[in-house]
């Protein structure tokens, strides 16, 4: 048989996909009455839940009383939602599904009720503060209020996903884990603050977020027999690949500048918006912040911000309504965004970031924040403490050939699902930290000179709930010392990671570990509660190099010399459902270990 030309092959594949989709629609039409009947059966089962069933389910949650309170108020509405949605692809057993939806409604109600409490407690203090009151750090109030809004969006999104036909549970869990991370981050910023309203605020936060913890427990480890989604999830992934033929790895020059716009409505135009930033005035804007502000709001299509070579001294925030932004530079050695905020200057760690992407959900097209060929830098210095170069709390975010350069807390992988490929991340203490599900693949992790007496720590993962699908996977990377560290006469210990929260997860796989890596490999968190070494999961698999020997590693129950099956749980596909969304980014990735 003669070989097909590339053009003919593309046409053949397109026709085959179209025929498959048509056949699938025909089959679905033939099964429609059965699906509707099944959806009715699910709703009917939910509506007839008995007290015994509800008690049994709620007893499995961390906060049974809160669960029972949610079902007492919201179970009927949850059953009505099931009837209205006519769910045919059953994510959970109908009794658990209805209680989970009721719990989510309870969480949304309880967290919503915090809005006036937060506004009152975090408002600017009066000129004469009460005796003994301690002020908030810079940005703490803004952090908590923004994180509160993000949590409300995530809870609403979780309820919608859970009641939608064909949606997978990993996205629901990603949003719920992000909500819990938001609470922890708010509390981090409030640490040390005191006053008459602060104790009441903290108690209210605990009560409200008990419902979030329950909701996560009800959907944890369920419905994932197909690896993280349904057949509909796969179909959606294929659709995204077809829809986004215009790859960012193609010549960016093919896009014409059109300057963006401040459109408050959803932008459903298929035309990609391209905005050019140049310090010399040859682009649409001179600063990255101006370009972000000009990008369309709530856009369903990609906005490319093309940043020409130069050093841009500014702190940039991509707010939640600036969806589907791709930041493209001229190379990580050529395009640099730099700032110098730090904890020593009074900023919260969260607010210290030079660049932050704060998106509570990906856009309609399924794409989140992307960055390529740009460096994010914080120049505060090692003595200034926490000083973030890049913070990302965006779902399905990806960075390719980027640089992240700082000292303590350089890369804040805050929450949701993230991917970093061929990036250079350099710093000292807690180089990569946060509670995202993040894969760093083919990256260089470079340890610099810390403050005298400090050790370098490459990861500080913050999983605070055993039901969260979060963790760090360092895969096929290189761990090395910076030239300044090599030239230093001071002996500095460098560890692969330490547990920021009790259920931290971090693994290093198929990587080259230089001689700087300490024989112990991992180190305790200072003043951690007893037993944290037993509840964490730190693993190594298939590593090489002078620092890879495991015979001197810590003897914790939470340390694992992993086999293939264990390591595979931290692959791109398993940890971040990467096969469902990374192809649409055009960034290369390896989906197995």
């Amino acid at each position: 048989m003669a070989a097909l030309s590339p053009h003919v092959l593309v046409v053949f594949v397109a026709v085959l996909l179209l025929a498959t989709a048509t056949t699938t629609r025909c089959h679905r039409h033939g099964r429609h009455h059965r699906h509707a009947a099944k959806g009715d059966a699910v709703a009917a089962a939910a509506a007839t839940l008995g007290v015994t069933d509800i008690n049994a389910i709620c007893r499995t949650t961390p906060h049974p009383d809160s669960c029972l309170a949610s079902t007492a108020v919201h179970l009927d509405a949850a059953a009505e939602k099931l009837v209205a949605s006519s769910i045919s692809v059953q994510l959970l057993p109908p009794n658990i599904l209805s209680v989970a939806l009721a719990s989510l409604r309870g969480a949304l109600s309880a967290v919503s009720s915090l809005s006036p409490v937060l506004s009152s407690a975090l408002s600017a203090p009066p000129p004469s503060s009460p005796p003994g009151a301690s002020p908030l750090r810079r940005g703490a109030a803004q952090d908590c209020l923004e994180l509160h809004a993000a949590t409300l969006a995530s809870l609403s999104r979780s309820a919608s996903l859970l009641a939608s036909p064909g949606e997978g549970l990993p996205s629901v869990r990603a949003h719920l884990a992000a909500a819990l991370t938001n609470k922890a981050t708010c509390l981090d910023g409030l640490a040390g603050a005191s006053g008459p309203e602060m104790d009441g605020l903290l108690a209210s936060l605990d009560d409200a977020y008990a419902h979030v913890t329950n909701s996560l427990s009800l959907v944890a480890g369920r419905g994932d027999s197909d690896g993280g989604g349904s057949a509909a999830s796969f179909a959606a992934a294929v659709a995204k690949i077809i829809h986004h033929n215009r790859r960012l790895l193609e010549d960016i020059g093919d896009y014409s500048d059109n300057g963006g716009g401040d459109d408050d409505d959803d932008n459903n135009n298929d035309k990609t918006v391209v905005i050019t930033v140049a310090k010399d005035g040859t682009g649409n804007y001179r600063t990255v912040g101006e370009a972000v502000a000009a990008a369309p709001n709530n856009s369903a299509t990609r906005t490319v911000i093309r940043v020409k070579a130069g050093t841009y001294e500014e702190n940039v925030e991509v707010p939640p309504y600036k969806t589907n932004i791709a930041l493209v530079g001229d190379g990580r050695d050529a395009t640099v965004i730099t700032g110098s905020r730090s904890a020593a200057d009074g900023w919260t760690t969260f607010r210290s970031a030079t660049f932050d992407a704060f998106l509570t959900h990906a856009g309609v097209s399924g794409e989140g924040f992307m960055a390529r060929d740009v460096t994010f830098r914080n120049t505060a210095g090692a003595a200034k403490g926490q000083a973030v170069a890049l913070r990302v709390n965006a779902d399905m975010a990806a960075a390719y050939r980027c640089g992240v350069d700082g000292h303590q807390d350089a890369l804040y992988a805050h929450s949701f699902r993230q991917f970093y490929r061929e990036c250079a991340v350099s710093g000292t203490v807690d180089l990569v930290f946060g509670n995202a599900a993040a894969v760093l693949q083919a990256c260089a992790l470079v340890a610099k000179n810390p403050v005298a007496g400090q050790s370098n720590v490459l990861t500080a993962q913050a999983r605070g709930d055993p039901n969260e699908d979060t963790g760090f996977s360092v895969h096929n990377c290189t761990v090395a010392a910076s030239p300044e560290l090599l030239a230093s006469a001071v002996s500095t210990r460098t560890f692969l990671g330490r547990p920021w929260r009790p259920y931290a997860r971090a693994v290093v796989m198929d990587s080259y570990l230089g001689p700087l890596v300490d024989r112990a490999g991992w180190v305790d968190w200072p003043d951690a509660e007893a037993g944290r070494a037993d509840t964490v999961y730190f693993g190594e698999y298939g590593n090489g190099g002078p620092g890879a020997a495991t015979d001197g590693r810590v003897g914790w129950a939470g340390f694992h010399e992993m086999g293939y099956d264990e390591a595979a749980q931290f692959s791109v596909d398993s940890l971040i459902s990467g096969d469902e969304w990374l192809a649409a980014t055009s960034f290369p990735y390896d989906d197995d270990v």
Side-chain angles (χ1 to χ4, degrees):
M1 180 177 177
L4 295 175
S5 69
H7 176 74
V8 173
L9 183 59
V10 168
V11 173
F12 172 74
V13 171
V15 171
L16 179 61
L17 286 171
L18 179 61
T20 303
T22 304
T23 303
T24 302
R25 284 198 299 272
C26 292
H27 286 174
R28 285 176 179 169
H29 178 75
R31 296 197 306 265
H32 178 74
H33 67 284
R34 282 177 287 168
H35 282 177
K38 186 175 181 182
D40 291 343
V42 171
T48 58
L49 262 178
V51 174
T52 302
D53 291 331
I54 294 172
N55 285 338
I57 294 169
C58 284
R59 278 200 302 271
T60 68
T61 66
H63 307 282
D65 290 342
S66 297
C67 176
L68 290 170
S70 291
T71 55
V73 177
H74 299 287
L75 190 62
D76 290 344
E80 289 176 7
K81 179 70 174 178
L82 293 179
V83 172
S85 62
S86 298
I87 293 178
S88 57
V89 179
Q90 192 171 327
L91 295 179
L92 297 169
N95 55 349
I96 295 176
L97 179 58
S98 59
V99 173
L101 280 170
S103 179
L104 274 170
R105 285 175 173 266
L108 193 53
S109 175
V111 176
S112 295
S113 70
L114 290 175
S115 297
V117 180
L118 281 166
S119 297
S120 174
L122 300 178
S123 60
S128 57
S129 298
S134 299
L136 295 172
R137 284 185 284 169
R138 295 169 71 182
Q142 184 181 356
D143 291 353
C144 286
L145 293 172
E146 288 184 2
L147 290 163
H148 175 66
T151 290
L152 291 174
S154 280
L155 293 177
S156 179
R157 181 67 173 154
S158 296
S160 176
L161 288 169
L162 195 58
S164 299
E167 292 288 353
L169 289 175
S171 292
V172 176
R173 293 195 290 265
H175 278 277
L176 293 176
L180 292 175
T181 305
N182 292 341
K183 177 205 173 188
T185 304
C186 173
L187 293 178
D188 288 340
L190 297 179
S194 62
E197 293 185 322
M198 198 57 62
D199 290 343
L201 171 60
L202 299 181
S204 297
L205 282 169
D206 286 339
D207 291 342
Y209 276 84
H211 297 278
V212 183
T213 303
N214 283 346
S215 300
L216 178 59
S217 72
L218 289 165
V219 299
R222 305 178 190 270
D224 292 336
S225 59
D226 65 349
S230 63
S233 299
F234 175 75
V238 173
K240 283 190 292 187
I241 296 169
I242 295 173
H243 179 70
H244 297 286
N245 278 332
R246 196 162 41 191
R247 306 291 194 182
L248 279 180
L249 283 185
E250 294 174 354
D251 185 3
I252 196 69
D254 291 344
Y255 297 122
S256 60
D257 293 351
N258 48 38
D262 216 3
D263 183 6
D264 287 334
D265 298 324
D266 287 352
N267 179 2
N268 292 314
N269 190 340
D270 284 339
K271 183 176 176 60
T272 298
V273 175
V274 181
I275 303 172
T276 301
V277 179
K279 293 194 70 174
D280 61 6
T282 58
N284 303 111
Y285 298 98
R286 291 178 180 270
T287 70
V288 180
E290 290 174 321
V292 171
N297 295 345
N298 304 310
S299 178
T301 54
R302 179 67 69 194
T303 297
V304 176
I305 297 179
R306 176 78 160 83
V307 187
K308 291 187 176 181
T311 299
Y312 299 82
E313 298 180 7
E314 53 182 312
N315 289 85
V316 182
E317 178 182 350
V318 182
Y321 51 86
K322 297 293 184 180
T323 52
N324 286 315
I325 283 182
L327 194 72
V328 180
D330 280 341
R332 67 177 176 230
D333 294 327
T335 300
V336 180
I337 303 172
T338 182
S340 60
R341 290 180 181 174
S342 69
D345 291 329
W347 294 97
T348 64
T349 302
F350 187 81
R351 194 59 52 183
S352 71
T354 296
F355 190 100
D356 65 82
F358 194 174
L359 306 175
T360 57
H361 64 282
V364 176
S365 65
E367 298 174 321
F369 173 76
M370 293 164 54
R372 193 191 77 182
D373 294 324
V374 60
T375 284
F376 309 94
R377 177 171 293 152
N378 191 309
T379 60
K384 289 292 187 78
Q386 297 94 331
V388 177
L390 173 64
R391 168 170 59 80
V392 180
N393 36 329
D395 199 17
M396 294 184 284
Y400 179 46
R401 298 190 313 218
C402 287
V404 182
D405 182 29
H407 284 86
Q408 184 170 349
D409 293 358
L411 173 56
Y412 197 171
H414 181 271
S415 50
F416 289 112
R417 293 167 289 188
Q418 305 178 18
F419 179 70
Y420 300 85
R421 173 80 184 200
E422 296 174 35
C423 294
V425 187
S426 55
T428 56
V429 183
D430 303 338
L431 176 61
V432 184
F433 74 112
N435 193 32
V439 176
L440 288 83
Q441 195 171 81
C443 293
L445 303 185
V446 181
K448 298 166 69 172
N449 254 346
V451 171
Q454 285 185 338
S455 298
N456 286 324
V457 184
L458 301 182
T459 65
Q461 212 277 330
R463 183 168 170 255
D465 188 300
N467 292 315
E468 292 172 350
D469 288 348
T470 59
F472 293 162
S473 175
V474 178
H475 180 217
N476 192 27
C477 293
T478 298
V479 175
S482 68
E484 63 174 355
L485 182 60
L486 287 173
S488 172
V490 179
S491 177
T492 300
R493 302 180 74 183
T494 297
F495 298 94
L496 298 176
R498 61 177 180 168
W500 186 8
R501 307 283 190 214
Y503 300 96
R505 293 200 302 178
V507 300
V508 182
M509 309 185 297
D510 298 328
S511 294
Y512 173 84
L513 307 185
L516 74 163
V517 175
D518 194 271
R519 286 191 66 209
W522 310 83
V523 66
D524 287 313
W525 189 268
D527 302 319
E529 73 285 345
R532 185 175 294 195
D534 298 330
T535 58
V536 303
Y537 189 103
F538 288 156
E540 298 181 50
Y541 172 78
N543 298 314
T550 58
D551 54 354
R553 292 297 193 248
V554 291
W556 305 345
F559 171 70
H560 303 264
E561 293 186 58
M562 301 184 296
Y564 174 81
D565 289 341
E566 287 179 289
Q569 298 176 37
F570 295 91
S571 68
V572 161
D573 189 32
S574 295
L575 185 61
I576 61 173
S577 305
D579 281 345
E580 293 189 12
W581 60 276
L582 277 174
T585 69
S586 78
F587 297 166
Y589 70 96
D590 301 318
D591 60 0
D592 200 0
V593 295

